[in-house]
Amino acid sequence: MSWIAKPRVAHPGLPRNELGLTQRDYEGRMSTLCAGCGHDSVTAALIEAFYGLNYPPHRIVKLSGIGCSGKTPTYFLNQAHGFNGVHGRMPAVATGAAGANRTLTYVGISGDGDSLSIGLGQLAHAIRRNVDLLYVIENNGVYGLTKGQFSASADVGSTAKKGAANMQPPIDPVLLGLSLGVGFVARSFSGDKEQLVPLLQAGLRHRGFALVDVISPCVTFNDHEGSTKSYRYTREHLTEVADADFVEPKREIAVSYAPGESIDVEMHDGGILRLRKLAEGFDPTDRDRAYAHISERLHRGEVLTGLLHVDKGLREMHDVAGTVDVPLVEVPHGDLCPGSAALDALQESFR
Amino acid sequence: MKPTDVTDPQYYHKVVDCQWGCPAHTNVPEYIRLIAQGRYTEAYLLNRESNVFPGILGRTCDRPCEPACRRTRLDGEAVAICRLKRVAADLRDDVSEYLPRVPAVKNGKRIACVGSGPASLTVANDLIPLGYEVTIFEKQDRPGGLMWSNIPQFRLPPEVLNEEIDYILDMGVDLRLDTPVESMRRLLAGEMGEWDAIFVGSGAPRGKNLEIEGRYDSDRIHIGIDWLESVAFEHIDRIEPRVLVIGVGNTAMDCCRTAMRIGGRDVKVMARKSREYFKASPWELEDAEEELVEIVENHSPSRFVIEDGELVAMDFDIVDWYEGEGGRLRSQVMDTVRIPCDAVILAIGQETAFPWIERDLGIEFNEWDEPTVDRTTFQSTREGVFFGGDAAWGPENIIWAVEHGHQAAISIHNYCRGLPLDDRPPYGMNLVSQKMGLHEWSYSNDYDEAERQKMRHVHLRERMQTLAVEVEEGFDFEQTLQEAERCLNCDVQTHFTTNLCIECDACIDICPLNCLTITANGEEPELRTRLSAPALNLEQDLYVSEALPQTARVMVKDEDLCIHCGLCAERCPTAAWDMRKSDLLIPYAGLEAGEKRPTRARDLVGV
């Protein structure tokens, strides 16, 4: 952390988006995470993503649980709504919030501890319900706030700072998501914003649950030799398999690839998600083959990144539940709470 | 691009915009920090080392540092560097103990200086401590040159001027007042003494004339610099009520404001061009207008109107300016107008004049009758004869004269030892980390959004009473602290060590001004288009690192708008970024390479 706040003075030549805002307008408070934390880069990528999509900051809801990741929503979008939930319980809060107001944009920030240990059941059910939410896992393989114990995503053989090796097999959030039938799953690296920002934007535009696993090195406890989630190891072992480029609904598609090289997926808002396959035999729209491919490479020590699977055919929570189109706050009180006579009639219908 | 070589003292020097812009390369940020700490004596001595006359310059400098100041590019208003300098001069303690020591045993070399202005005084200041004996010939009965005769007392009180001149004279200058040098031949021939070298610092004493109808038909048409000199020497103590000042440079400003104090009631400054082309500094224009001087644009003088032997008016063409072929400014007469007046002061420029230098001495003059002077060594085409100040290339300002004096002193010192003149001592640099703790730096690193402090002026009525009332009151304590905080400490450099970088992006994410980018290397014009924010200011350099260890990309920093807040260094987990103070070691006569000046100023300052 720093004693001084980031000065408000800004580059006079900063571009502005369609709302007339600069990227600085999407910032939050000063980070109190360790200097060099990958999470701060994810924060910066989120700022860039929201700015680039021209989202008004006050129409966004930031949610988190506990841990280093739980702190990060403070560091972006000062003007957004925020909820810092109990450890691992962010998905439940997000589900409730999204159920009550479907017109806001939801972004949940979690970590490997928050999502894969204490909150694993919560994550699984949010995926199953297909809550309309961008769910970012800032994955560093250790419990940073409690001084660097291995988390559930630590690889076998990866060592702690003092040299002890992890013996328990990891839970991979991408494979977990695929097995649960997630409609959008991607993996990226905090040190590669060129890839991360379009993935976050695509996830925000995806209607339904969008899981983005971001390798985000813990600079204090897990950035040494022997770590498999350090900056260096990640850079040396990641392979990008599918490049995503989000094309705004209003924008003409200017770039064209040779047939077979790219797949266009039309998003719910009319935008186009253009996937460019970088690996032979990899098809992000085929869930089973994607699973097999990722799993096989993972066993060989390769970290596949990019948009790994997308299926826009899934029905989102509101579609399944048949809820009203407007936020509950806009439903007249008489309709929301029709009185005891209506309740009696409902109960009678179940007898 | 090739990796930037920051071991070259000039790279970090250029980042310190004010110091780079100052002809004498005064260490501005360091002395502003000293002022903020209340260490006025140290601040004064640090100033004096390079600019020799902090008290005088703190009131009268043309301030090339201020338009250069980085804050002009951020909030449009430079730090009030010049007036902070005055604070140091006003509040210093006795500095006599810390002035350069003069050796009792001389080196046997004798130098003659012609004229006692800032250039000659600087030559004396630099050479006497090395054992030289310096004689200054002055035609007037007071030393100081144009600092005395052309800068009105209400801008520069005589006590301030005399005190700083005396520091140098008291080193043992042989000052010959009322002794004009009337023949270079005689000076060279030893008729005025034997000299090992001669320095000509006789200024640009001839005011330009305006040869139009009626010029010589009245005795109320004055040449500006001569008129100011007559006022300074009290030969003139009044002027008629309606005065036209022709020309709109800084001399014109001094003329109109002086006229307002000695009888002028309706004083107009008549400019041929429009305001954007005025030569006067903006602050001098403001001060004149505050004193109810009217500044009239686009009026080109055509004749003096004389009736019954009396000057009664001037005729002007009202002109419109437009860009002609090749971008040259052209004028078109729109109308003519007659403006009544009782007196006219011509302030349309000045030039050098050397009627006392015979043209067969091997001292070459060019087609405009200016001496041929080497830009680096300040030597004329005759060995051992040096020029500096306005005498070298025409009118500049005091700070340039001082720098000329320093450079001429280096040359003279070489010349007298039989060394080549172009064998000049190099610049050096000290570079020291300013880290005091995890989040603590030795300097005030937060950006202060305060606006530039306004100089307080003596009330109009009071200041018009006599010529001697100094208009500016100087900054008070609060103003000084506030203004000092506005300085961005550009000398505390963002220093990068490539092999420590893990490319975590922390510095890029935190930088408030989007100065930093990690990207693939490329040629500069193309690289400039790929940075975090547009790098459009081509006068400001890009720093480019060597290839980074993990990805072989490069760290690029656009120096243009960095506020030196140190957040990149605070957020850097490996201390690849560090904040290091670069202290430029300026060469002076008698110093070895990288040696500090042998005064106690630096010991006091601790740099």
Side-chain angles (χ1 to χ4, degrees):
Chain A
M1 65 175 287
S2 302
W3 298 138
I4 68 165
K6 183 169 177 173
R8 284 190 306 172
V9 56
H11 195 296
L14 274 192
R16 292 179 180 274
N17 66 11
E18 287 172 13
L19 302 177
L21 302 176
T22 69
Q23 214 157 291
R24 295 294 304 271
D25 298 317
Y26 287 78
E27 288 179 350
R29 301 178 67 109
M30 273 300 268
S31 171
T32 57
L33 296 168
C34 307
C37 179
H39 297 8
D40 285 336
S41 287
V42 179
T43 296
L46 283 160
I47 289 169
E48 213 178 313
F50 282 114
Y51 161 82
L53 289 177
N54 305 299
Y55 278 17
H58 68 285
R59 300 296 295 167
I60 292 162
V61 184
K62 320 174 282 189
L63 306 116
S64 66
I66 297 297
C68 298
S69 67
K71 297 169 71 172
T72 60
T74 311
Y75 313 138
F76 60 90
L77 292 174
N78 249 353
Q79 299 170 72
H81 307 274
F83 196 101
N84 189 198
V86 187
H87 205 352
R89 269 62 189 163
M90 177 268 280
V93 178
T95 306
N101 189 339
R102 60 193 297 177
T103 63
L104 299 174
T105 300
Y106 294 87
V107 54
I109 311 293
S110 187
D112 39 322
D114 198 51
S115 280
L116 304 180
S117 295
I118 193 167
L120 188 63
Q122 296 258 327
L123 169 62
H125 284 278
I127 293 174
R128 178 172 160 267
R129 286 205 178 91
N130 202 17
V131 181
D132 187 9
L133 167 71
L134 170 66
Y135 193 99
V136 178
I137 299 180
E138 295 177 332
N139 187 350
N140 58 20
V142 288
Y143 299 143
L145 269 193
T146 54
K147 300 201 173 178
Q149 300 83 355
F150 293 119
S151 80
S153 72
D155 294 309
V156 173
S158 181
T159 64
K161 209 174 179 181
K162 294 281 184 189
N166 175 48
M167 291 305 165
Q168 299 193 55
I171 298 172
D172 181 61
V174 169
L175 292 179
L176 176 74
L178 284 172
S179 69
L180 291 167
V182 73
F184 181 108
V185 64
R187 176 150 35 222
S188 189
F189 170 43
S190 69
D192 184 3
K193 286 202 197 72
E194 273 177 41
Q195 182 196 47
L196 178 55
V197 172
L199 285 178
L200 292 172
Q201 290 179 333
L204 283 166
R205 281 297 171 90
H206 174 78
R207 188 150 163 242
F209 196 92
L211 178 64
V212 181
D213 177 40
V214 188
I215 311 294
S216 172
C218 173
V219 76
T220 300
F221 294 109
N222 208 12
D223 194 40
H224 46 264
E225 298 219 351
S227 160
T228 59
K229 287 200 166 45
S230 66
Y231 281 106
R232 182 178 286 278
Y233 185 94
T234 307
R235 285 205 167 93
E236 285 169 357
H237 290 79
L238 56 75
T239 311
E240 195 174 17
V241 289
D243 185 6
D245 187 17
F246 184 77
V247 185
E248 289 279 345
K250 286 165 254 169
R251 223 166 13 133
E252 285 288 318
I253 298 172
V255 201
S256 64
Y257 300 105
E261 278 183 8
S262 70
I263 305 166
D264 284 352
V265 180
E266 194 182 343
M267 306 296 276
H268 295 84
D269 60 3
I272 302 287
L273 184 64
R274 170 151 292 181
L275 296 171
R276 201 153 54 90
K277 293 187 287 179
L278 302 171
E280 197 61 38
F282 184 79
D283 179 0
T285 60
D286 182 332
R287 178 160 72 121
D288 293 340
R289 284 179 61 191
Y291 188 99
H293 191 83
I294 297 162
S295 174
E296 184 216 346
R297 295 304 181 93
L298 205 57
H299 290 136
R300 285 203 252 149
E302 268 182 55
V303 184
L304 299 194
T305 65
L307 211 176
L308 300 173
H309 175 59
V310 61
D311 178 358
K312 65 157 195 141
L314 297 179
R315 297 208 304 160
E316 185 248 322
M317 177 175 75
H318 284 281
D319 302 336
V320 176
T323 49
V324 288
D325 290 338
V326 293
L328 297 188
V329 70
E330 289 172 23
V331 177
H333 186 261
D335 294 345
L336 259 186
C337 187
S340 49
L343 181 62
D344 289 344
L346 179 70
Q347 283 179 326
E348 192 60 37
S349 73
F350 292 138
R351 287 183 203 278
Chain B
M1 290 177 72
K2 283 191 185 139
T4 305
D5 178 14
V6 298
T7 61
D8 175 357
Q10 298 302 344
Y11 182 78
Y12 282 150
H13 180 195
K14 193 178 170 195
V15 174
V16 192
D17 294 297
C18 47
Q19 192 177 17
W20 181 259
C22 175
H25 306 305
T26 305
N27 189 345
V28 175
E30 183 73 51
Y31 84 67
I32 290 183
R33 282 192 295 272
L34 289 168
I35 290 169
Q37 295 164 17
R39 298 165 73 189
Y40 307 114
T41 305
E42 290 93 325
Y44 180 86
L45 290 167
L46 188 67
N47 259 291
R48 192 183 183 284
E49 203 173 286
S50 52
N51 62 42
V52 186
F53 305 105
I56 296 170
L57 288 165
R59 291 168 166 83
T60 63
C61 189
D62 200 40
R63 324 177 192 172
C65 52
E66 292 193 14
C69 175
R70 186 168 301 242
R71 281 205 75 128
T72 60
R73 307 197 289 276
L74 288 159
D75 63 2
E77 289 199 289
V79 175
I81 298 169
C82 188
R83 295 313 184 251
L84 284 172
K85 187 197 310 292
R86 176 183 161 176
V87 170
D90 286 356
L91 301 183
R92 74 184 190 272
D93 296 325
D94 179 20
V95 298
S96 48
E97 193 187 337
Y98 306 118
L99 294 175
R101 295 268 186 266
V102 180
V105 180
K106 304 298 176 190
N107 68 1
K109 305 289 183 187
R110 305 186 70 233
I111 313 299
C113 296
V114 182
S116 66
S120 291
L121 288 169
T122 302
V123 169
N125 178 71
D126 284 11
L127 292 181
I128 291 175
L130 302 177
Y132 288 84
E133 289 170 83
V134 177
T135 299
I136 296 180
F137 295 99
E138 170 56 53
K139 68 177 175 186
Q140 303 285 5
D141 63 1
R142 272 177 275 208
L146 293 198
M147 295 195 291
W148 168 255
S149 63
N150 273 190
I151 300 178
Q153 293 183 22
F154 56 85
R155 286 178 53 212
L156 177 60
E159 338 46 285
V160 174
L161 177 67
N162 291 337
E163 190 173 24
E164 292 193 327
I165 292 177
D166 284 345
Y167 286 153
I168 297 166
L169 298 182
D170 291 348
M171 290 178 189
V173 173
D174 172 20
L175 177 65
R176 312 255 180 104
L177 295 174
D178 296 313
T179 313
V181 176
E182 278 158 349
S183 162
M184 181 60 110
R185 191 189 309 281
R186 287 179 52 212
L187 189 65
L188 288 164
E191 291 180 29
M192 302 177 82
E194 294 289 334
W195 315 111
D196 293 283
I198 290 170
F199 177 78
V200 179
S202 55
R206 188 190 316 178
K208 287 189 182 162
N209 210 338
L210 183 64
E211 302 281 357
I212 54 175
E213 188 188 330
R215 167 66 184 86
Y216 299 105
D217 299 339
S218 169
D219 56 2
R220 290 181 179 175
I221 301 167
H222 310 281
I223 299 278
I225 58 172
D226 296 343
W227 183 77
L228 285 173
E229 185 176 295
S230 300
V231 174
F233 284 90
E234 295 170 357
H235 303 318
I236 289 180
D237 59 5
R238 58 173 294 279
I239 196 163
E240 292 72 21
R242 294 175 303 172
V243 182
L244 296 182
V245 177
I246 311 297
V248 70
N250 287 338
T251 301
M253 296 302 109
D254 287 339
C255 288
C256 66
R257 295 176 69 191
T258 301
M260 286 299 282
R261 284 163 170 78
I262 58 170
R265 288 290 163 268
D266 172 13
V267 180
K268 292 187 174 70
V269 171
M270 309 302 296
R272 282 178 68 229
K273 291 188 180 169
S274 52
R275 202 166 182 111
E276 61 194 295
Y277 300 104
F278 287 3
K279 285 199 172 139
S281 310
W283 53 88
E284 298 216 15
L285 287 163
E286 274 170 31
D287 290 349
E289 288 183 315
E290 183 183 296
E291 293 177 0
L292 308 177
V293 170
E294 190 184 345
I295 295 174
V296 183
E297 303 173 282
N298 301 325
H299 279 56
S300 182
S302 58
R303 76 186 186 101
F304 297 94
V305 183
I306 313 286
E307 284 176 8
D308 304 330
E310 290 271 307
L311 174 71
V312 293
M314 266 189 91
D315 283 348
F316 292 88
D317 291 336
I318 299 176
V319 290
D320 185 35
W321 296 90
Y322 60 96
E323 265 186 31
E325 273 173 50
R328 275 197 58 176
L329 212 56
R330 295 182 168 279
S331 64
Q332 182 183 353
V333 177
M334 309 297 286
D335 201 356
T336 57
V337 65
R338 175 163 297 184
I339 297 179
C341 63
D342 308 314
V344 172
I345 303 172
L346 302 174
I348 52 176
Q350 60 195 86
E351 54 202 4
T352 54
F354 301 100
W356 55 279
I357 299 182
E358 296 80 355
R359 301 302 145 103
D360 58 352
L361 300 171
I363 300 172
E364 237 175 58
F365 282 77
N366 64 18
E367 51 184 306
W368 301 284
D369 212 27
E370 293 164 341
T372 305
V373 181
D374 186 281
R375 289 268 168 191
T376 309
T377 66
F378 292 77
Q379 188 173 238
S380 67
T381 50
R382 179 175 170 132
E383 278 196 12
V385 177
F386 300 85
F387 283 71
D390 291 357
W393 300 291
E396 284 276 6
N397 35 63
I398 300 171
I399 190 68
W400 274 108
V402 169
E403 178 58 11
H404 292 179
H406 285 314
Q407 295 304 324
I410 289 173
S411 294
I412 292 170
H413 189 46
N414 277 9
Y415 179 73
C416 289
R417 292 179 296 162
L419 298 176
L421 297 191
D422 52 12
D423 182 13
R424 307 183 83 75
Y427 281 84
M429 176 180 66
N430 280 341
L431 195 62
V432 180
S433 177
Q434 301 301 297
K435 201 173 176 71
M436 306 281 283
L438 207 50
H439 311 290
E440 273 180 290
W441 303 97
S442 72
Y443 68 108
S444 172
N445 60 326
D446 204 356
Y447 181 83
D448 195 318
E449 294 189 4
E451 287 179 14
R452 183 182 164 113
Q453 294 295 310
K454 295 262 180 294
M455 177 52 66
R456 291 169 304 131
H457 288 175
V458 173
H459 191 272
L460 267 184
R461 188 167 302 155
E462 193 186 332
R463 82 173 85 146
M464 292 303 172
Q465 300 301 314
T466 72
L467 278 169
V469 177
E470 188 176 13
V471 172
E472 296 190 356
E473 296 186 316
F475 285 149
D476 65 18
F477 185 69
E478 284 295 321
Q479 284 184 302
T480 301
L481 286 184
Q482 288 237 357
E483 194 57 33
E485 269 297 307
R486 293 186 72 238
C487 174
L488 298 174
N489 301 286
C490 298
D491 62 331
V492 182
Q493 309 284 352
T494 54
H495 183 80
F496 188 70
T497 307
T498 304
N499 60 12
L500 293 177
C501 179
I502 58 169
E503 303 171 51
C504 67
D505 284 3
C507 52
I508 295 168
D509 298 337
I510 197 67
C511 179
L513 274 302
N514 301 68
C515 301
L516 304 175
T517 310
I518 296 180
T519 185
N521 205 345
E523 289 308 311
E524 180 167 346
E526 181 268 334
L527 191 56
R528 278 180 177 270
T529 65
R530 291 194 272 122
L531 303 181
S532 302
L536 304 176
N537 185 352
L538 301 181
E539 285 174 15
Q540 292 284 323
D541 290 338
L542 296 185
Y543 165 84
V544 178
S545 75
E546 291 159 335
L548 295 172
Q550 294 193 11
T551 64
R553 295 176 296 171
V554 286
M555 177 71 78
V556 184
K557 181 192 173 204
D558 179 8
E559 298 284 5
D560 186 21
L561 295 174
C562 171
I563 56 171
H564 298 255
C565 63
L567 284 176
C568 52
E570 278 194 37
R571 299 304 296 171
C572 181
T574 62
W577 284 111
D578 189 19
M579 301 308 289
R580 296 192 186 172
K581 185 165 78 182
S582 67
D583 178 20
L584 185 73
L585 302 175
I586 304 168
Y588 294 105
L591 293 191
E592 296 301 319
E595 195 182 15
K596 291 176 177 178
R597 203 146 212 219
T599 66
R600 284 186 58 199
R602 281 184 174 273
D603 298 335
L604 269 184
V605 172
V607 293

